[in-house]
Amino acid sequence: MKKNKILLFLFLLGSLTAFAQKKVEKWGTFELTLHGPQGGNPFIGISLNAAFKHGNEVYKPEGFYDGSGDYKIRFMPDEEGEWTYITYSNLGTLNGIKGSFICTPPLTGDHGPLSVKNTYHFAYADSTRFIPFGTTIYQWCFQPDSLQQETIQTLKHSPFNKVRFLIIPPYSKEYLKGPDKLNNFPFQRDSSGNWNLSRFNPVYFQNIEKCIKELRSIGVQADVTLFNPYDKGWGFEKMNQPTARRFVKYVVARFAAYRNVWWSLANENSFIKWMTDKDWDNLFQLVEKEDPYHHLRSIHNAGRIYNYTLPWVTHVSLQYYNAVRVFGVTPLLRDIYKKPIVYDEINYEGNISSRWGQLTGKQMTYRFWVAYIGGGYATHGESFVNNPWISIGGKLIGKSPARIAFLKKIVDEAPDLNPIDQYYIMNMAGEPGEYYLIYFGKEKPGDWKFILPKKNLKDGMRFKADIIDTWNMTITPVNKVFEVKKLNNYQFADKDGKSIQLPDKLYMALRIKRINK
Amino acid sequence: MKKNKILLFLFLLGSLTAFAQKKVEKWGTFELTLHGPQGGNPFIGISLNAAFKHGNEVYKPEGFYDGSGDYKIRFMPDEEGEWTYITYSNLGTLNGIKGSFICTPPLTGDHGPLSVKNTYHFAYADSTRFIPFGTTIYQWCFQPDSLQQETIQTLKHSPFNKVRFLIIPPYSKEYLKGPDKLNNFPFQRDSSGNWNLSRFNPVYFQNIEKCIKELRSIGVQADVTLFNPYDKGWGFEKMNQPTARRFVKYVVARFAAYRNVWWSLANENSFIKWMTDKDWDNLFQLVEKEDPYHHLRSIHNAGRIYNYTLPWVTHVSLQYYNAVRVFGVTPLLRDIYKKPIVYDEINYEGNISSRWGQLTGKQMTYRFWVAYIGGGYATHGESFVNNPWISIGGKLIGKSPARIAFLKKIVDEAPDLNPIDQYYIMNMAGEPGEYYLIYFGKEKPGDWKFILPKKNLKDGMRFKADIIDTWNMTITPVNKVFEVKKLNNYQFADKDGKSIQLPDKLYMALRIKRINK
């Protein structure tokens, strides 16, 4: 009774700012909570957004209903100083609410949200380079808290800085194992037990947000997958376009203010038979319109490859295994798309009966090297019979993560990897004249003549070299200095014809750096 | 004097059908010639076209000025029977001319113009399959008649059924060698010797037409290249967009009625610095609009690859050598573009100092096999120091043409080559359950276990096999019958575990055909 009286009082006040921070760090999440009606269907019919202003900057994020009479608007400020806001709603009690907050300096180590840099790469808002090393844990959000925590601890000590995961549960045995989760779905049921696709389940989305924030807290990108074709039992595949659009709007309103979010429109999109490419076009454009921060956007394909050249796609998120089984494909894809190439599924290290989950650690490591030496990026996954990391997370038991960490260290220390002389040399990347990374994969060249493509080279430039064993994770400096001299129209070579003796092993690489004068 | 009187008489008549056939074979070229004024600039300002009708079919090809007071309209009828026509012009004397002709059955061996068939392939208008085996002879139209005739004779006895060539001469020594050609350019000069880009040179285009018709007479496709970046002396690079558009309209009006024409908007388009991708979009759309027969349309790239996904591009015409140096790229490109993949430049067999012209015959043959085994098509070229076929034509001296002819024979006898199990097997094409072509390239598998991907297979199906030596051009039947049985979720194998012993040689292939019951 007492509680009801307070609610009545609040209602009579019109509406009230139940909660709003007074300080938020740059690229953090400001949240404004308003109380409003619970009756009817607050998920539809009530519009709510707010204009956030700082100097000439204005952002207009959409609000959303979070249950229990709570209406929320989230905002990610990108400038320090005072921000003011005012709400807009078709409901008088939610309309015209004003306020302000102070945006403080970013947290230590926070560089902001990501965008594409130099056509083929990524950078944070503060220009710090971001080099994706992804992994895949489709259903980690739907696991018990203890398992989620184990996953976070594993990620923290792994090379992986981007996680691909689903936000609609697949209909699968793994998912059903999750305790207390069976009634936890994105939608609510009506009294007869049927899904009411016009009523979201806020508790469900709060769980996903907790996961996104956990990743954010350890500096990991959340590659949020909006739709998937694996709902072969829940019944959400009945979503028509208006429902799908409402779902997208709700998700973007809730998640966009988290700086580590990427939007993946779907996993294996062409397996979702009820969606046409035109539908995907429309949903992409909806995300683009609704997300004030322009987080990265792509879609993960099955057989029918979406047209990644379209302007609302920020990067390629490709499932095509052969593209990382041979050299030379990534430079071609870069030229075709003029966007970053992220191989978001290259088969998984594991031992399951499905052939997409049977890579050895060596094969996975090889595919990673092929991706990065082409100027692209790759995403890992493990599918062991007794340790289904790609489904539920937990711990990593494969042999590739340590080697991927070794590769990451090399790549982190290198300039942006771009192909050098790409039409003729398929296994070399770096920065012409300064830095060359050469990966031999399954070739064993033995004696490697010190010859480099001519770009940016001049007679007399001097270089040192390291022999890299990508599998055994060793870096062995070559005890020579190489001085180049023009060899022909295309190449410079060591002036004395020196070469480098490579061990008779698979998976070797060379790193060549210019010696500064 | 007498002639002038006749002309005066004709002029007084208003205009007159100077010449028009009464009979034209299906897919042949009907030509209507009208006499009109020679004064002013007949290339601009006078519009002329005609409506050709047969039943409910109507075509409206544009006319063009052919010099000496001749105004022409060409038309390619695609139905037998009577066609009627009427002309439209802003010049009264050319307007409202009516006539008719009879379209007779096609010439023996004529299958009509080409279009795309089954997404990745080509067919003639009568549904006969066309499998491109291209070659490149950039400047053959600008050579002496005797050399043109030699080229035609060479082509006639070669495997090549498509020729890529330029219709604007490059500024080069080779071109300058051609006698009597120095004053033969697409445009006319004004009295001060400067180019008048609003006046075409009909004699120049008549020569190109002669070449197109020569190719047509031997059943070879004319891949007509409209623009190129090699005019570094003539001055046509000064063409602005209105001039370029007038050039395109004139070319399409003149050539479209030849059934063997393909439109290639450019060679190495991104080297033409004065054209943007938007300009190319516009020119593509102009060709699409002006050509009543919708001949095949593409563009040949340099570094910046044009967006071949755009709807006005009928097929991919790619210059990217590495795509045919490794297996697996073509199936990916098919999925990306959903169009036929034609590798129109894969380097040339030859011995010149430029590295793009140094392939051995083995390398060229290998690249052809890699292209076709991926479900694509390739284009040949030869660049020997003393025999610059790609520039001027003449005779072929390379080692690859005989091997390409051998490949062509195999492909002609095969069903459409499409990848089988493309995500896991990169070197196999054919028709699942019926026909398998497997190319081993640089691998020497020795003992090849008879295992096929499961698609369309059933226990008990029986197969025979041939061992193909692609370099020595031998086909050796295997003296065994293979009967398949399910091996696992993905594969069928010979029920007795039989295998095929392959010789210890490079460039071997296997052909496996089902034995009909």
Side-chain angles (χ1 to χ4, degrees):
Chain A
M1 283 300 279
K2 199 177 166 192
K3 196 181 164 197
N4 278 353
K5 272 191 190 156
I6 293 172
L7 284 174
L8 179 65
F9 171 74
L10 291 176
F11 182 75
L12 291 173
L13 267 176
S15 81
L16 202 114
T17 302
F19 183 74
Q21 298 111 300
K22 286 293 163 200
K23 282 190 181 174
V24 177
E25 69 278 8
K26 186 176 175 179
W27 300 313
T29 306
F30 171 85
E31 186 173 275
L32 171 66
T33 304
L34 306 175
H35 283 312
Q38 297 191 49
N41 184 350
F43 295 101
I44 53 176
I46 294 178
S47 71
L48 175 65
N49 62 54
F52 289 83
K53 291 187 193 180
H54 171 79
N56 291 325
E57 270 198 299
V58 183
Y59 284 89
K60 276 201 156 186
E62 291 292 315
F64 62 92
Y65 183 60
D66 200 27
S68 310
D70 285 345
Y71 291 78
K72 292 185 175 174
I73 302 170
R74 289 179 181 151
F75 173 59
M76 178 180 70
D78 62 353
E79 290 288 346
E80 295 172 37
E82 188 187 44
W83 287 80
T84 61
Y85 57 83
I86 180 167
T87 66
Y88 299 94
S89 177
N90 60 356
L91 192 73
T93 54
L94 301 179
N95 189 49
I97 312 290
K98 290 178 183 175
S100 69
F101 68 92
I102 301 295
C103 178
T104 58
L107 298 178
T108 308
D110 174 17
H111 304 287
L114 292 171
S115 61
V116 170
K117 182 191 87 171
N118 296 342
T119 309
Y120 307 112
H121 305 290
F122 299 95
Y124 293 99
D126 73 352
S127 298
T128 303
R129 184 165 69 147
F130 174 78
I131 305 176
F133 279 82
T135 189
T136 311
I137 331 174
Y138 287 119
Q139 308 166 53
W140 82 284
C141 294
F142 313 127
Q143 307 308 319
D145 284 348
S146 57
L147 187 50
Q148 290 182 1
Q149 280 311 311
E150 187 185 355
T151 302
I152 288 293
Q153 287 309 310
T154 300
L155 288 170
K156 213 169 158 177
H157 300 98
S158 83
F160 304 118
N161 56 19
K162 174 173 94 81
V163 174
R164 297 181 63 236
F165 62 95
L166 308 179
I167 63 165
I168 293 180
Y171 189 82
S172 72
K173 286 176 197 157
E174 284 85 353
Y175 179 74
L176 293 168
K177 274 188 214 157
D180 305 324
K181 299 283 178 181
L182 277 177
N183 290 312
N184 190 353
F185 288 106
F187 300 102
Q188 298 180 28
R189 293 185 196 271
D190 64 21
S191 54
S192 59
N194 295 321
W195 293 114
N196 182 344
L197 300 183
S198 72
R199 278 189 175 271
F200 297 108
N201 177 3
V203 174
Y204 179 86
F205 289 94
Q206 287 158 13
N207 172 56
I208 309 278
E209 283 155 13
K210 186 193 74 173
C211 292
I212 294 172
K213 284 191 279 188
E214 293 274 9
L215 294 176
R216 188 178 65 173
S217 74
I218 58 168
V220 171
Q221 301 296 312
D223 201 349
V224 168
T225 304
L226 300 176
F227 298 96
N228 71 67
Y230 317 119
D231 168 18
K232 291 172 181 167
W234 307 130
F236 307 141
E237 76 265 26
K238 290 174 190 160
M239 260 197 261
N240 55 20
Q241 282 305 299
T243 304
R245 292 177 71 83
R246 198 162 51 233
F247 177 77
V248 166
K249 284 186 73 162
Y250 192 72
V251 165
V252 174
R254 293 198 70 116
F255 301 170
Y258 300 117
R259 64 178 171 272
N260 60 325
V261 160
W262 299 32
W263 306 118
S264 178
L265 269 287
N267 205 65
E268 300 199 312
N269 77 305
S270 67
F271 287 162
I272 306 177
K273 304 295 182 193
W274 52 282
M275 294 269 220
T276 66
D277 279 346
K278 188 73 201 151
D279 291 332
W280 294 117
D281 294 349
N282 292 337
L283 292 172
F284 259 112
Q285 289 173 84
L286 182 64
V287 172
E288 190 179 36
K289 175 175 161 284
E290 297 288 318
D291 171 9
Y293 319 107
H294 310 300
H295 289 291
L296 295 164
R297 288 178 300 272
S298 194
I299 190 166
H300 171 271
N301 66 290
R304 189 180 85 240
I305 296 180
Y306 185 75
N307 186 350
Y308 294 113
T309 69
L310 291 168
W312 43 79
V313 179
T314 57
H315 63 286
V316 173
S317 168
L318 194 69
Q319 174 177 214
Y320 199 86
Y321 322 133
N322 296 338
V324 288
R325 286 172 69 192
V326 292
F327 289 117
V329 182
T330 309
L332 171 57
L333 293 181
R334 287 166 40 124
D335 287 350
I336 287 173
Y337 290 119
K338 300 160 188 78
K339 293 176 185 179
I341 306 299
V342 185
Y343 294 109
D344 268 327
E345 191 164 344
I346 59 174
N347 291 151
Y348 303 120
E349 183 179 352
N351 58 2
I352 58 171
S353 63
S354 295
R355 61 183 178 173
W356 48 258
Q358 300 178 340
L359 291 187
T360 63
K362 284 185 179 169
Q363 288 170 323
M364 175 62 91
T365 304
Y366 169 79
R367 291 180 183 199
F368 258 77
W369 272 85
V370 170
Y372 288 75
I373 212 76
Y377 303 101
T379 296
H380 155 275
E382 285 187 11
S383 55
F384 289 94
V385 170
N386 296 315
N387 194 66
W389 167 264
I390 59 161
S391 297
I392 63 171
K395 55 188 186 300
L396 289 164
I397 62 169
K399 291 187 160 47
S400 64
R403 278 76 186 186
I404 293 169
F406 178 75
L407 167 63
K408 184 173 190 294
K409 189 163 181 297
I410 291 167
V411 172
D412 281 345
E413 292 167 4
D416 284 348
L417 291 182
N418 293 304
I420 300 175
D421 201 17
Q422 73 177 72
Y423 305 124
Y424 290 87
I425 304 177
M426 293 197 276
N427 63 340
M428 180 189 283
E431 188 183 325
E434 296 298 328
Y435 180 103
Y436 302 82
L437 192 61
I438 308 160
Y439 177 54
F440 298 103
K442 293 167 187 167
E443 284 167 38
K444 298 186 220 170
D447 199 54
W448 186 83
K449 280 208 166 281
F450 196 96
I451 297 176
L452 296 173
K454 69 176 176 183
K455 193 166 181 199
N456 293 356
L457 294 181
K458 282 180 192 152
D459 282 3
M461 282 182 172
R462 291 158 67 238
F463 295 87
K464 60 182 179 177
D466 297 305
I467 297 172
I468 299 173
D469 184 327
T470 68
W471 180 249
N472 293 306
M473 298 180 280
T474 60
I475 299 179
T476 310
V478 177
N479 193 18
K480 292 179 190 172
V481 167
F482 301 91
E483 184 180 322
V484 296
K485 192 182 149 189
K486 186 176 174 176
L487 180 67
N488 57 40
N489 269 343
Y490 300 108
Q491 298 167 315
F492 279 63
D494 177 74
K495 69 176 173 47
D496 304 318
K498 284 202 286 287
S499 58
I500 297 173
Q501 189 60 40
L502 288 159
D504 188 33
K505 284 170 159 184
L506 295 173
Y507 311 125
M508 303 303 294
L510 270 181
R511 180 171 62 184
I512 295 167
K513 291 183 196 173
R514 187 165 166 208
I515 301 169
N516 293 324
K517 283 144 199 171
Chain B
M1 284 300 279
K2 199 178 168 195
K3 196 182 166 197
N4 277 353
K5 272 190 190 157
I6 292 172
L7 284 176
L8 180 66
F9 171 73
L10 290 176
F11 181 76
L12 290 174
L13 266 175
S15 82
L16 202 113
T17 303
F19 181 73
Q21 298 110 301
K22 286 293 161 200
K23 281 189 184 175
V24 176
E25 69 278 6
K26 186 176 175 180
W27 300 313
T29 306
F30 171 85
E31 185 173 275
L32 172 65
T33 304
L34 306 175
H35 284 311
Q38 297 190 50
N41 184 348
F43 296 100
I44 54 176
I46 295 177
S47 71
L48 175 65
N49 62 54
F52 289 83
K53 292 187 192 179
H54 170 79
N56 291 325
E57 269 198 300
V58 183
Y59 284 88
K60 277 200 156 184
E62 292 291 315
F64 62 92
Y65 183 61
D66 200 27
S68 310
D70 286 345
Y71 291 79
K72 292 185 175 174
I73 303 170
R74 289 179 181 150
F75 173 59
M76 178 179 70
D78 61 354
E79 290 289 345
E80 294 173 36
E82 188 187 44
W83 288 80
T84 61
Y85 57 83
I86 180 167
T87 65
Y88 299 95
S89 176
N90 60 355
L91 193 73
T93 52
L94 301 179
N95 189 49
I97 313 290
K98 289 179 183 175
S100 68
F101 68 90
I102 300 295
C103 177
T104 58
L107 298 178
T108 307
D110 175 16
H111 304 287
L114 292 172
S115 61
V116 170
K117 181 192 87 168
N118 297 340
T119 308
Y120 307 112
H121 305 289
F122 301 95
Y124 293 99
D126 73 353
S127 298
T128 302
R129 184 165 69 148
F130 174 77
I131 304 176
F133 280 82
T135 190
T136 311
I137 331 174
Y138 287 119
Q139 308 165 53
W140 82 283
C141 295
F142 313 126
Q143 307 309 318
D145 284 349
S146 57
L147 186 50
Q148 289 182 3
Q149 281 311 311
E150 187 185 356
T151 302
I152 288 293
Q153 287 309 310
T154 299
L155 288 169
K156 213 169 159 177
H157 300 98
S158 83
F160 304 118
N161 56 19
K162 175 173 93 80
V163 175
R164 299 181 62 237
F165 61 94
L166 308 179
I167 62 165
I168 294 179
Y171 189 82
S172 72
K173 286 175 197 156
E174 284 85 354
Y175 180 75
L176 293 168
K177 274 189 214 158
D180 305 324
K181 299 282 179 180
L182 277 177
N183 291 311
N184 189 354
F185 288 106
F187 300 102
Q188 297 180 28
R189 293 185 196 270
D190 65 23
S191 54
S192 58
N194 295 322
W195 293 115
N196 182 343
L197 299 184
S198 72
R199 280 189 174 271
F200 298 108
N201 177 3
V203 174
Y204 179 86
F205 290 93
Q206 287 158 13
N207 171 56
I208 308 278
E209 284 156 12
K210 186 193 73 174
C211 292
I212 294 173
K213 285 191 279 188
E214 294 274 9
L215 294 176
R216 187 178 66 173
S217 74
I218 57 167
V220 171
Q221 302 295 313
D223 201 348
V224 169
T225 304
L226 300 177
F227 297 96
N228 71 66
Y230 317 119
D231 168 18
K232 292 174 179 166
W234 307 131
F236 306 143
E237 76 266 26
K238 290 174 191 160
M239 259 197 260
N240 55 19
Q241 282 305 300
T243 304
R245 292 178 69 83
R246 198 163 51 234
F247 177 76
V248 166
K249 284 186 71 162
Y250 192 71
V251 165
V252 174
R254 293 197 71 116
F255 301 170
Y258 300 117
R259 64 178 172 271
N260 60 325
V261 160
W262 300 30
W263 306 118
S264 178
L265 270 286
N267 204 65
E268 300 198 312
N269 77 305
S270 68
F271 286 163
I272 306 178
K273 303 295 183 194
W274 52 283
M275 294 269 219
T276 66
D277 278 346
K278 188 73 201 150
D279 291 332
W280 294 118
D281 294 349
N282 292 336
L283 292 171
F284 259 112
Q285 289 173 82
L286 182 64
V287 172
E288 191 179 35
K289 175 175 161 283
E290 297 289 318
D291 171 9
Y293 319 108
H294 311 299
H295 289 292
L296 295 164
R297 288 179 300 272
S298 194
I299 190 166
H300 171 271
N301 66 290
R304 188 180 86 239
I305 296 180
Y306 185 75
N307 187 350
Y308 294 112
T309 70
L310 291 168
W312 43 79
V313 179
T314 57
H315 64 285
V316 174
S317 168
L318 195 68
Q319 173 177 214
Y320 199 86
Y321 322 134
N322 296 339
V324 288
R325 286 171 70 192
V326 292
F327 288 117
V329 182
T330 310
L332 171 57
L333 293 181
R334 288 166 40 124
D335 286 350
I336 287 173
Y337 291 118
K338 299 159 187 80
K339 293 176 185 179
I341 307 299
V342 185
Y343 295 108
D344 267 328
E345 191 164 343
I346 59 173
N347 291 152
Y348 303 120
E349 184 179 353
N351 59 2
I352 59 172
S353 64
S354 295
R355 60 183 179 174
W356 48 258
Q358 299 177 341
L359 290 188
T360 63
K362 283 185 179 170
Q363 287 170 324
M364 174 62 90
T365 305
Y366 169 78
R367 292 181 183 198
F368 257 78
W369 272 85
V370 170
Y372 288 75
I373 211 75
Y377 303 101
T379 297
H380 155 274
E382 285 186 11
S383 55
F384 289 94
V385 170
N386 297 316
N387 194 65
W389 167 264
I390 59 161
S391 297
I392 63 171
K395 55 187 184 300
L396 289 164
I397 63 168
K399 290 188 161 42
S400 64
R403 278 77 186 186
I404 293 169
F406 178 74
L407 167 63
K408 184 173 190 295
K409 190 164 179 295
I410 291 167
V411 173
D412 280 345
E413 292 168 4
D416 284 349
L417 291 183
N418 293 304
I420 300 175
D421 202 17
Q422 73 177 70
Y423 305 124
Y424 291 87
I425 305 177
M426 293 196 277
N427 63 341
M428 179 189 283
E431 189 183 324
E434 296 298 329
Y435 180 103
Y436 302 81
L437 192 61
I438 307 160
Y439 177 55
F440 298 103
K442 293 167 187 167
E443 284 167 39
K444 299 186 219 169
D447 200 52
W448 186 82
K449 279 208 166 283
F450 196 96
I451 297 176
L452 296 173
K454 69 176 177 183
K455 193 166 181 198
N456 293 357
L457 293 182
K458 283 180 193 153
D459 282 2
M461 282 182 172
R462 291 158 68 237
F463 295 87
K464 59 182 179 176
D466 297 305
I467 297 172
I468 299 173
D469 183 327
T470 68
W471 180 249
N472 293 305
M473 298 180 280
T474 60
I475 299 180
T476 311
V478 176
N479 193 18
K480 293 178 192 174
V481 167
F482 302 90
E483 183 179 324
V484 297
K485 193 182 149 189
K486 186 175 175 175
L487 179 67
N488 56 40
N489 269 344
Y490 301 108
Q491 298 168 315
F492 280 62
D494 177 74
K495 69 177 172 48
D496 304 318
K498 284 201 287 286
S499 59
I500 296 173
Q501 189 61 40
L502 288 159
D504 187 33
K505 285 171 159 181
L506 295 172
Y507 311 124
M508 303 303 295
L510 270 181
R511 180 171 63 183
I512 295 169
K513 291 183 197 175
R514 188 166 166 208
I515 301 169
N516 293 324
K517 285 144 198 172

Short mmCIF file of all heavy atoms in Angstrom, two decimals, chain A residues 160-175:
data_model
loop_
_atom_site.label_atom_id
_atom_site.label_comp_id
_atom_site.label_asym_id
_atom_site.label_seq_id
_atom_site.Cartn_x
_atom_site.Cartn_y
_atom_site.Cartn_z
N PHE A 160 42.72 -12.80 -27.80
CA PHE A 160 41.51 -12.41 -28.51
C PHE A 160 40.92 -11.10 -27.99
O PHE A 160 40.75 -10.92 -26.79
CB PHE A 160 40.49 -13.54 -28.47
CG PHE A 160 41.08 -14.81 -29.03
CD1 PHE A 160 41.21 -15.95 -28.24
CD2 PHE A 160 41.57 -14.84 -30.32
CE1 PHE A 160 41.79 -17.11 -28.74
CE2 PHE A 160 42.16 -16.00 -30.83
CZ PHE A 160 42.27 -17.13 -30.04
N ASN A 161 40.63 -10.19 -28.93
CA ASN A 161 40.11 -8.88 -28.55
C ASN A 161 38.77 -8.56 -29.21
O ASN A 161 38.33 -7.41 -29.22
CB ASN A 161 41.15 -7.79 -28.87
CG ASN A 161 41.57 -7.82 -30.34
OD1 ASN A 161 40.87 -8.38 -31.17
ND2 ASN A 161 42.71 -7.20 -30.64
N LYS A 162 38.14 -9.58 -29.77
CA LYS A 162 36.80 -9.42 -30.37
C LYS A 162 36.10 -10.76 -30.22
O LYS A 162 36.68 -11.80 -30.53
CB LYS A 162 36.90 -9.04 -31.84
CG LYS A 162 35.57 -8.99 -32.57
CD LYS A 162 35.70 -8.43 -33.98
CE LYS A 162 35.88 -9.49 -35.05
NZ LYS A 162 34.62 -10.14 -35.48
N VAL A 163 34.85 -10.72 -29.74
CA VAL A 163 34.07 -11.96 -29.59
C VAL A 163 32.81 -11.87 -30.43
O VAL A 163 32.05 -10.91 -30.32
CB VAL A 163 33.69 -12.22 -28.12
CG1 VAL A 163 32.77 -13.43 -28.01
CG2 VAL A 163 34.94 -12.42 -27.27
N ARG A 164 32.63 -12.86 -31.29
CA ARG A 164 31.38 -12.99 -32.05
C ARG A 164 30.40 -13.80 -31.23
O ARG A 164 30.71 -14.92 -30.82
CB ARG A 164 31.62 -13.71 -33.37
CG ARG A 164 32.55 -12.99 -34.33
CD ARG A 164 32.70 -13.78 -35.63
NE ARG A 164 31.41 -13.86 -36.29
CZ ARG A 164 30.80 -14.98 -36.64
NH1 ARG A 164 31.35 -16.16 -36.41
NH2 ARG A 164 29.63 -14.95 -37.23
N PHE A 165 29.19 -13.27 -31.01
CA PHE A 165 28.18 -14.05 -30.28
C PHE A 165 26.77 -13.66 -30.71
O PHE A 165 26.54 -12.62 -31.33
CB PHE A 165 28.37 -13.89 -28.77
CG PHE A 165 28.21 -12.49 -28.25
CD1 PHE A 165 26.99 -12.03 -27.75
CD2 PHE A 165 29.31 -11.63 -28.22
CE1 PHE A 165 26.85 -10.74 -27.25
CE2 PHE A 165 29.17 -10.32 -27.72
CZ PHE A 165 27.95 -9.89 -27.24
N LEU A 166 25.86 -14.55 -30.40
CA LEU A 166 24.46 -14.40 -30.81
C LEU A 166 23.66 -13.70 -29.71
O LEU A 166 23.95 -13.88 -28.53
CB LEU A 166 23.84 -15.77 -31.05
CG LEU A 166 24.58 -16.72 -32.00
CD1 LEU A 166 23.82 -18.05 -32.09
CD2 LEU A 166 24.75 -16.11 -33.38
N ILE A 167 22.65 -12.94 -30.11
CA ILE A 167 21.75 -12.38 -29.09
C ILE A 167 20.34 -12.94 -29.21
O ILE A 167 19.45 -12.52 -28.50
CB ILE A 167 21.75 -10.84 -29.10
CG1 ILE A 167 21.22 -10.31 -30.43
CG2 ILE A 167 23.14 -10.29 -28.79
CD1 ILE A 167 20.85 -8.84 -30.35
N ILE A 168 20.14 -13.89 -30.12
CA ILE A 168 18.92 -14.71 -30.09
C ILE A 168 19.41 -16.14 -29.91
O ILE A 168 20.28 -16.59 -30.65
CB ILE A 168 18.11 -14.59 -31.40
CG1 ILE A 168 17.55 -13.17 -31.54
CG2 ILE A 168 16.97 -15.61 -31.42
CD1 ILE A 168 16.74 -12.95 -32.80
N PRO A 169 18.88 -16.84 -28.91
CA PRO A 169 19.43 -18.18 -28.63
C PRO A 169 19.10 -19.15 -29.75
O PRO A 169 17.98 -19.18 -30.24
CB PRO A 169 18.70 -18.59 -27.35
CG PRO A 169 17.45 -17.78 -27.32
CD PRO A 169 17.78 -16.47 -28.00
N PRO A 170 20.08 -19.93 -30.18
CA PRO A 170 19.76 -21.00 -31.12
C PRO A 170 19.00 -22.10 -30.39
O PRO A 170 19.13 -22.24 -29.17
CB PRO A 170 21.13 -21.49 -31.57
CG PRO A 170 22.03 -21.16 -30.44
CD PRO A 170 21.48 -19.93 -29.77
N TYR A 171 18.23 -22.83 -31.13
CA TYR A 171 17.53 -23.98 -30.55
C TYR A 171 18.51 -25.14 -30.57
O TYR A 171 18.74 -25.76 -31.60
CB TYR A 171 16.30 -24.29 -31.39
CG TYR A 171 15.39 -25.31 -30.76
CD1 TYR A 171 14.47 -24.92 -29.79
CD2 TYR A 171 15.43 -26.64 -31.14
CE1 TYR A 171 13.62 -25.85 -29.21
CE2 TYR A 171 14.60 -27.57 -30.56
CZ TYR A 171 13.69 -27.17 -29.59
OH TYR A 171 12.85 -28.09 -29.02
N SER A 172 19.12 -25.41 -29.43
CA SER A 172 20.17 -26.44 -29.43
C SER A 172 20.28 -27.06 -28.06
O SER A 172 19.87 -26.48 -27.06
CB SER A 172 21.51 -25.81 -29.82
OG SER A 172 21.97 -25.00 -28.77
N LYS A 173 20.88 -28.22 -28.03
CA LYS A 173 21.07 -28.93 -26.76
C LYS A 173 21.94 -28.12 -25.81
O LYS A 173 21.70 -28.04 -24.63
CB LYS A 173 21.71 -30.28 -27.03
CG LYS A 173 20.75 -31.27 -27.63
CD LYS A 173 21.48 -32.55 -27.97
CE LYS A 173 20.66 -33.38 -28.95
NZ LYS A 173 21.49 -34.30 -29.71
N GLU A 174 22.98 -27.50 -26.36
CA GLU A 174 23.87 -26.71 -25.52
C GLU A 174 23.09 -25.63 -24.78
O GLU A 174 23.31 -25.38 -23.62
CB GLU A 174 24.98 -26.04 -26.35
CG GLU A 174 26.08 -26.97 -26.79
CD GLU A 174 25.74 -27.70 -28.08
OE1 GLU A 174 24.58 -27.58 -28.56
OE2 GLU A 174 26.60 -28.39 -28.59
N TYR A 175 22.22 -24.98 -25.54
CA TYR A 175 21.50 -23.89 -24.90
C TYR A 175 20.60 -24.45 -23.81
O TYR A 175 20.49 -23.88 -22.72
CB TYR A 175 20.67 -23.12 -25.93
CG TYR A 175 19.90 -22.02 -25.26
CD1 TYR A 175 20.56 -20.87 -24.84
CD2 TYR A 175 18.55 -22.13 -24.99
CE1 TYR A 175 19.90 -19.86 -24.19
CE2 TYR A 175 17.87 -21.13 -24.33
CZ TYR A 175 18.55 -19.99 -23.94
OH TYR A 175 17.88 -19.00 -23.28
#
